[in-house]
Amino acid sequence: MNKKDTLELLEKIKSGQMSPEDVLARLCTEPFEDLGYAKPDHHRELRQGIPEIIYGAGKTPEQIVGIGSAMLDKGQRLILITRLSPEVASAVSKNLCLNYHSIARIGVIGETPAPDGIGKIVIATGGTSDIPVAEEAAITAETLGNSVVRLYDVGVAGLHRLLSKIGDITDAQVVISIAGMEGALTSVIGGLVDCPVIGVPTSVGYGASFNGLSALLSMLNSCASGVSVVNIDNGFGAGYLASMINHRRGY
Amino acid sequence: MNKKDTLELLEKIKSGQMSPEDVLARLCTEPFEDLGYAKPDHHRELRQGIPEIIYGAGKTPEQIVGIGSAMLDKGQRLILITRLSPEVASAVSKNLCLNYHSIARIGVIGETPAPDGIGKIVIATGGTSDIPVAEEAAITAETLGNSVVRLYDVGVAGLHRLLSKIGDITDAQVVISIAGMEGALTSVIGGLVDCPVIGVPTSVGYGASFNGLSALLSMLNSCASGVSVVNIDNGFGAGYLASMINHRRGY
Amino acid sequence: MNKKDTLELLEKIKSGQMSPEDVLARLCTEPFEDLGYAKPDHHRELRQGIPEIIYGAGKTPEQIVGIGSAMLDKGQRLILITRLSPEVASAVSKNLCLNYHSIARIGVIGETPAPDGIGKIVIATGGTSDIPVAEEAAITAETLGNSVVRLYDVGVAGLHRLLSKIGDITDAQVVISIAGMEGALTSVIGGLVDCPVIGVPTSVGYGASFNGLSALLSMLNSCASGVSVVNIDNGFGAGYLASMINHRRGY
Amino acid sequence: MNKKDTLELLEKIKSGQMSPEDVLARLCTEPFEDLGYAKPDHHRELRQGIPEIIYGAGKTPEQIVGIGSAMLDKGQRLILITRLSPEVASAVSKNLCLNYHSIARIGVIGETPAPDGIGKIVIATGGTSDIPVAEEAAITAETLGNSVVRLYDVGVAGLHRLLSKIGDITDAQVVISIAGMEGALTSVIGGLVDCPVIGVPTSVGYGASFNGLSALLSMLNSCASGVSVVNIDNGFGAGYLASMINHRRGY
Amino acid sequence: MNKKDTLELLEKIKSGQMSPEDVLARLCTEPFEDLGYAKPDHHRELRQGIPEIIYGAGKTPEQIVGIGSAMLDKGQRLILITRLSPEVASAVSKNLCLNYHSIARIGVIGETPAPDGIGKIVIATGGTSDIPVAEEAAITAETLGNSVVRLYDVGVAGLHRLLSKIGDITDAQVVISIAGMEGALTSVIGGLVDCPVIGVPTSVGYGASFNGLSALLSMLNSCASGVSVVNIDNGFGAGYLASMINHRRGY
Amino acid sequence: MNKKDTLELLEKIKSGQMSPEDVLARLCTEPFEDLGYAKPDHHRELRQGIPEIIYGAGKTPEQIVGIGSAMLDKGQRLILITRLSPEVASAVSKNLCLNYHSIARIGVIGETPAPDGIGKIVIATGGTSDIPVAEEAAITAETLGNSVVRLYDVGVAGLHRLLSKIGDITDAQVVISIAGMEGALTSVIGGLVDCPVIGVPTSVGYGASFNGLSALLSMLNSCASGVSVVNIDNGFGAGYLASMINHRRGY
Amino acid sequence: MNKKDTLELLEKIKSGQMSPEDVLARLCTEPFEDLGYAKPDHHRELRQGIPEIIYGAGKTPEQIVGIGSAMLDKGQRLILITRLSPEVASAVSKNLCLNYHSIARIGVIGETPAPDGIGKIVIATGGTSDIPVAEEAAITAETLGNSVVRLYDVGVAGLHRLLSKIGDITDAQVVISIAGMEGALTSVIGGLVDCPVIGVPTSVGYGASFNGLSALLSMLNSCASGVSVVNIDNGFGAGYLASMINHRRGY
Amino acid sequence: MNKKDTLELLEKIKSGQMSPEDVLARLCTEPFEDLGYAKPDHHRELRQGIPEIIYGAGKTPEQIVGIGSAMLDKGQRLILITRLSPEVASAVSKNLCLNYHSIARIGVIGETPAPDGIGKIVIATGGTSDIPVAEEAAITAETLGNSVVRLYDVGVAGLHRLLSKIGDITDAQVVISIAGMEGALTSVIGGLVDCPVIGVPTSVGYGASFNGLSALLSMLNSCASGVSVVNIDNGFGAGYLASMINHRRGY
């Protein structure tokens, strides 16, 4: 609730339209619904400009249906459910009209909008095994109204694969660079472009990759400017942030 | 060197203006100068759109003067020298016209441009001890043409200090959130705004802060969307990235 | 055994009521029963003022029934069995009259007493996935005679959800703050209240949450005063400690 | 600002005493003073019931004097400055009337109040080297109005030293157990008493103590109920929390 | 092969009984049998005075039978097979006469000798869940000719349980102290006795026990003299070492 | 694409054989095939002198068949598929003629060449459980044209087993030393030979082996000269590097 | 205080020699002296059979003199002060007759007794830099009545140096094996002898030795039986334990 | 001592030239000299084919002079002293004719031989701050008879700097790739060449570089084949190993 809204409320006291008690009640009214096990946030679209996200991991199909239904009832038209296993997706889709992306493990309720960002988001992966994380980012970004270019399996051990795509990369508004193991892809891309690069370390690898720690540290230490990092395997977070950057505009 | 440049070069062979050998030589020509101990990159301004940065830590005054002079000779008009101790700054300023920011430990050669970004960059810190990192970010962003709002000592242990500045925060194009210890500031800000938030963990703290590890992990695990993280104490990186985002424009 | 008891015993030697050998034997008598695989502590209720707890993890149904029966035989009227899987609970309940709380994974033998603490214990969680740990704390506290207020899914990424409950929080005698991932909830609550706050990091999360390490470090580094921390996922320990604090009284 | 205050403000609009714009301004007024480098919190005594604390580490004498003076100007009568080196203390005391405790590295402005807690706080250390942390806790607790019993050098490697003090320990309202190295003292005390035990791991030790990590993990894993833990070397936090518990009272 | 053996071999050259080539061959002869996948060491009993041990983990039943048979063929009368799952034990016992201890997960081939050590080995555990590791130590020590006293579930959170057994503990030649979680038992015992104490951290626990790391660090940092530590869950190693110490004798 | 190739292309412009546009297209042509999910690299044999490797972990049978077929179509005669489970191998072999090594978990398509290295590669393991990693190294090296000597179960706890093979070891061109747990084998071998020693830590062990971390650190700290280390369990990498060293020749 | 002593005390009540109150007082009498900052333990020699040890690190010369004098006053004839810097030693020796071993950083008050152990203690180091830790062990053992054989700089990278001393090693009653970096020496010795081996990891090394962590993990994972480990750089602990083992005798 | 030497010794018994006792003595004779604090190894040149190395860190000038003199007395003509501080170098050079390389911190006694390797060793660094480690590698390699090409400051954040040197890199027999921070240089080079690449992580960096851990993990996880890794900052080890590889030859 912003200053303008508050001012309008207060004006209503002055004009006698509302009592002080009622205004106070409104000020304390929950802008979310309390389902007991969760508090879906119906004003979020307004406050943050984007659809509500349901983090599916660790929720039962019943809880997801409950939260999703409450959102739809309030008029939400686009819902993203992340970390959704095929089994839970299948159970949820009995009650809600769900478009399930199995590699990304994302369910979408509602229609993906036409891209309206400034430019394109490039999503690059070091290897084939990083694709599920990349798809989580890609589906997220597309659902949020972005045009996405996928460049998969362009890891630095075969640098020409990356360099042959140099045109796509330098055209990007944002690059999401996804890699496990040594995570060097992010530094190399960071040195080639002049747009923000979001590094997503993945848990792909074995031994001294320590479930993504190696790639995480590598990306955090990138010498290239313009690089920042999200959590290991957090494709959603990267896609969401990339969309934000791709929709920045002055006032 | 982009496709267009390459094509022009190749046309010159066809037209007989250059021999194949000369073109090959040009393709392999170093777009940087080789000082032996460093290879300053004179094309970087063009390729990445920003001034050259000198990472001052571990370099002697002589090396910094050498690199800086080479840059100035090539026409560079704005140079940022980070991690510059007062002693080295003093020595360098005997040879180069240096504007030294002692809290930020940054030296600037050349004139800070007028802000030309989309909007404002807000820089918030959890405590007073985080200010040096915040100033590194602030001076970097200002030198790169941004308008900066400083909100220092607004940590979550006294939430009203942060909430009283809610107007500044929600007006930002980008927020840089800087905190040591538990690093909770970043998550709280991330939940309040709909613009990108760059988290900078600091090494401020003791005991189980493990030199910034605690804040780093905390920020990487932020539940708020739109948050990404740079290295511990990396104020420069955050300021640079924030400037990139604040200058995004469509084509 | 306190000084007074010892003195009485010694007096009995003087008066000839007991031989020195018998007194020595008594002094060495075990105030617990030795079942071989376990040594249930029948004086604990007296010594520490609360019922015996059985840590169920890694014990067979037979061992639990054996320990529980020995306690009941000695007159214990209230037994709490933590970390009890549904399968083991089902097997145990064939021999003992068990009230099983499936989300909390706690079995209770005996009747929950009426609340007799100073005030209320508030239990807050960052998300829906933290509820099992929260219920472990809640059932523990209720069984120990406390009135509990549950505030679930009030994480800092949507700060208004927490602030709308500010009345409950500031009324508490103790707050148990339970969160995984970045664990920022605990610091924020710590800054809002003037009562003890017990942080419980949870293993909820992925990647750089490192099974709760991130939340643990975050809470240990809280800038807010009055915060202390228990082991990751240790809902029982938090509920027990909260009950202790909620029953403090002068003499 | 609580509901009642807000209601009163709103009534003033209705009665015409204040305009809506003025009320909005008041709602956003900062309840702290902004010194630029710090935002001392003058309402904290009311909101949390205790004096303001200045965390001295990393602050210049000028900053400490500035913050302290602002507090005194607002009527604060008791200020605790922690992590204060002798050099800074000496510089500060030129401007402020400071009582400096050199072992605890704490400066106190104002008069220590008479103890008014429910009972006594026992502070036990494993060894002689843990005394500085213990004194930080002790001075904090005493300044906050508590009676403190010091039991130093009672580590478990000589168990009889601890057991000879059993009377003091079992009489406590709260025990602060301070130990480095293996940190076993906390578990042993936790098993002997029926009051809250606050563990403070210290960085005392060498090798595999890893600067307090060993003691920290040990205390977090304590099998004894009623034990919670604060940050390594955080004597202040333990003293503050102990005081809170020792002042709990019903309404 | 010791000096005397070597000298005898060399004498045979001088006397013409063997050619230099043959002696060289003998010097390089393997004092073990090469089964390809393993090299059982038939001289070990002589060289180290004890039976051969087979580390069962990761070996197929066929490999264990192969190694065991080769040992028996060479006259070995006592074989200990550790880390033996019930399934593999069952398969092995079809070919070899195996006495399987299911809690200890140890199989013994041959007859346990009468105890011939200097005194008794006391094996103490902190809790019930540590018993499998304790039994691994106990069966190992008994098979190697030691008299073992088992003191299970005597953790420090109920100190009187341990103190009631003080007679057993102070009578020991060696104490094996086994505990997970905070591992404090080892330090407490170390302070009570004047014989060697072998600490065995166990992986029992959860959260910040980090699979035994907490107990391991705790024991390594023990302030009590005479304490040393073996690997997490290494009951066998402790039992073996205890037997060595219990059989020390002068010459 | 090397300098000579580039020069030839440029000459074709001069001679009019190709247009500048065509040459540019060729320069940007991908020297690999783009299957969408993977980009097999058909020029790799030329550029690096060895067959293509498929990292099988995390790839479906369909993906492996697709990549393998594309390679065979381009004329590749030898393909190594690592980390191939029996199930996937079985599925793949329905479409491709696969020689599957089950212990090494490697599938080979094509004929193993005759050894053409400088000398022999010795592969030594500390124990029986390290054999799968050793076989991965051995099959890799043999497929790349090397003669391999296997010395399994020669760990330092029975030093004579290693010393009896001293002749094999000192004859080697390269030694691959594979060990879990304490990883001491690598240092001992490093002190015995004057050829490169490649250490491969394995995840064999338990407790404080921390899944190979112990052996990894041990090998990295080897005092012996000539030792380097690859990732935990990376038998393939060691075999590949050993082959490189064993094929070194001057020009 | 053992059972026999207690029984005698109790008999005195019966016989009228002492009142129950006096006996109780005796039972609670502290068998140590309370100096405030320390509680020296005058019964320790009786209870554990050895002289008192003062851990010098972090104690002032005054504290050490105070503790030492109290001990001497009570009749202690042999005192070991470990971790004693030359400066503190110099200050202490003004008040107490101190024999200072500068490499070992140990001060001894009183006369070193003639060796009376079962056999010899061998102390081996991997390198020259480990000697200070080794001397701490050696002086400790000698002061406790042991004959010590020093084998320094016999690390496994030059195995013949160790093997040339094989006679000394196999003659030992106990071996103390001291090494930094990879710590392999301990495993190798453990495989050569049939007596207990005490591993002491040292903080010697750099990079991935992580201040002794590498050697610590290596020793904990030793495959050789009979090996146990003390804290990093804990020469004293090893010497003390070795002396215990070397003095074991039956009753 | 190899088989041939042993055989010759044994022949001497047969021919009566030596007695068996004398031969045994010879077999046990130390091929090193025992200076008490160190055991320099005079046969090492023969056994391993290279000069003796003195690890200077932690040795006094006297010890270094002692060891060096003993080596020279035995006829060693080339000695490398690593980790030698300027102060110690200065002291040593009063007694020994020392050529000191201050950046590499290496002292060389004797004349650097002409290069006799198969080809060239390329040493590349990511930045200017890595040069001291690179020089340690370079001086080591040159002293061991190799021709070295230095490519400094060619980190991946400015990829064209590396690519402009592609000719040097692909001509190498071995590449030593030295980088701190993210360590990506090693993977990129590993993908460009078909010769062994030795990665040297450096401790250059701050924050999440954790003193080289980040670069170490990154290099260990390199996807490029042919890469192995030495300890953090171990320039000597890399130079030594590179020389070994560059001198490999068949027999």
Side-chain angles (χ1 to χ4, degrees), chain F residues 36-56:
Chain F
Y37 52 84
K39 301 191 170 41
D41 185 348
H42 302 307
H43 286 215
R44 191 163 173 181
E45 186 171 11
L46 302 175
R47 206 176 65 253
Q48 295 209 344
I50 62 132
E52 180 73 26
I53 314 297
I54 303 175
Y55 178 66

Side-chain angles (χ1 to χ4, degrees), chain B residues 28-32 34 36-41 43 47-48 55 57-59 63 67 83 136 210-211 213 216 231-235, chain H residues 103 125 127-129 131-132 150-155 157-166 181 204-211:
Chain B
C28 292
T29 291
E30 307 167 31
F32 49 82
D34 198 335
Y37 53 84
K39 300 191 170 41
D41 184 350
H43 286 214
R47 204 175 66 252
Q48 295 209 345
Y55 178 67
K59 294 208 176 68
Q63 289 177 323
I67 298 173
R83 308 266 160 151
E136 190 184 279
F210 294 124
N211 301 315
L213 178 63
L216 171 62
N231 196 0
I232 297 164
D233 291 335
N234 190 4
Chain H
I103 298 177
T125 76
T128 300
S129 313
I131 291 179
R150 288 160 170 87
L151 301 180
Y152 293 167
D153 195 24
V154 293
L159 201 59
H160 57 299
R161 296 182 302 187
L162 178 65
L163 294 181
S164 77
K165 300 293 188 188
I166 194 78
M181 295 164 145
V204 167
Y206 62 92
S209 83
F210 296 124
N211 302 316

Side-chain angles (χ1 to χ4, degrees), chain C residues 4-170:
Chain C
K4 191 165 140 290
D5 294 337
T6 309
L7 201 52
E8 280 174 15
L9 268 183
L10 298 177
E11 290 285 1
K12 289 189 180 162
I13 305 179
K14 197 176 181 185
S15 64
Q17 287 178 276
M18 288 180 76
S19 70
E21 285 78 7
D22 288 350
V23 168
L24 180 61
R26 274 292 294 281
L27 285 169
C28 291
T29 291
E30 307 167 32
F32 50 82
E33 186 168 4
D34 198 336
L35 302 179
Y37 52 83
K39 302 195 170 37
D41 185 350
H42 302 306
H43 285 217
R44 190 164 171 181
E45 186 170 11
L46 303 175
R47 204 176 67 253
Q48 294 210 344
I50 62 132
E52 180 75 27
I53 313 298
I54 303 175
Y55 178 67
K59 294 208 176 70
T60 63
E62 292 70 33
Q63 288 177 324
I64 293 174
V65 168
I67 298 172
S69 299
M71 289 170 172
L72 293 173
D73 288 352
K74 295 284 177 176
Q76 183 82 33
R77 282 161 314 185
L78 194 55
I79 302 172
L80 211 73
I81 313 171
T82 62
R83 307 266 160 152
L84 192 63
S85 68
E87 297 72 31
V88 176
S90 168
V92 167
S93 63
K94 286 176 189 148
N95 293 281
L96 295 174
C97 182
L98 191 77
N99 185 8
Y100 184 62
H101 301 262
S102 62
I103 298 177
R105 298 172 68 93
I106 285 183
V108 179
I109 298 171
E111 217 163 303
T112 294
D116 62 349
I118 303 172
K120 291 186 175 174
I121 295 173
V122 164
I123 301 181
T125 75
T128 300
S129 312
D130 302 313
I131 291 180
V133 177
E135 281 298 307
E136 190 183 277
I139 299 299
T140 298
E142 287 172 347
T143 306
L144 296 175
N146 297 277
S147 179
V148 170
V149 177
R150 287 161 171 86
L151 300 180
Y152 293 167
D153 195 24
V154 293
V156 299
L159 203 58
H160 57 298
R161 296 182 302 185
L162 178 65
L163 294 181
S164 77
K165 301 292 188 188
I166 193 78
D168 287 321
I169 294 172
T170 54

Side-chain angles (χ1 to χ4, degrees), chain E residues 172-201:
Chain E
Q173 279 290 315
V174 201
V175 179
I176 298 174
S177 163
I178 300 175
M181 292 162 149
E182 86 272 58
L185 180 64
T186 301
S187 282
V188 171
I189 290 180
L192 292 172
V193 300
D194 65 339
C195 72
V197 176
I198 304 168
V200 189

Side-chain angles (χ1 to χ4, degrees), chain D residues 77-99:
Chain D
R77 283 160 313 185
L78 193 56
I79 301 171
L80 211 74
I81 313 171
T82 63
R83 307 266 160 154
L84 193 62
S85 69
E87 296 72 31
V88 176
S90 169
V92 168
S93 63
K94 285 175 190 149
N95 294 280
L96 296 173
C97 183
L98 193 77
N99 184 9

Side-chain angles (χ1 to χ4, degrees), chain A residues 55 216 229-232 234, chain B residues 182-184 186-187 213-225 227-229, chain C residues 156-157 179-184 202-218:
Chain A
Y55 178 66
L216 171 62
V229 186
V230 296
N231 196 359
I232 297 165
N234 189 5
Chain B
E182 85 272 59
T186 300
S187 284
L213 178 63
S214 171
L216 171 62
L217 293 182
S218 181
M219 292 180 182
L220 283 169
N221 282 283
S222 176
C223 305
S225 300
V227 174
S228 64
V229 186
Chain C
V156 299
M181 291 161 149
E182 86 272 59
T202 70
S203 54
V204 168
Y206 63 91
S209 82
F210 295 124
N211 302 314
L213 178 63
S214 170
L216 171 62
L217 293 182
S218 180

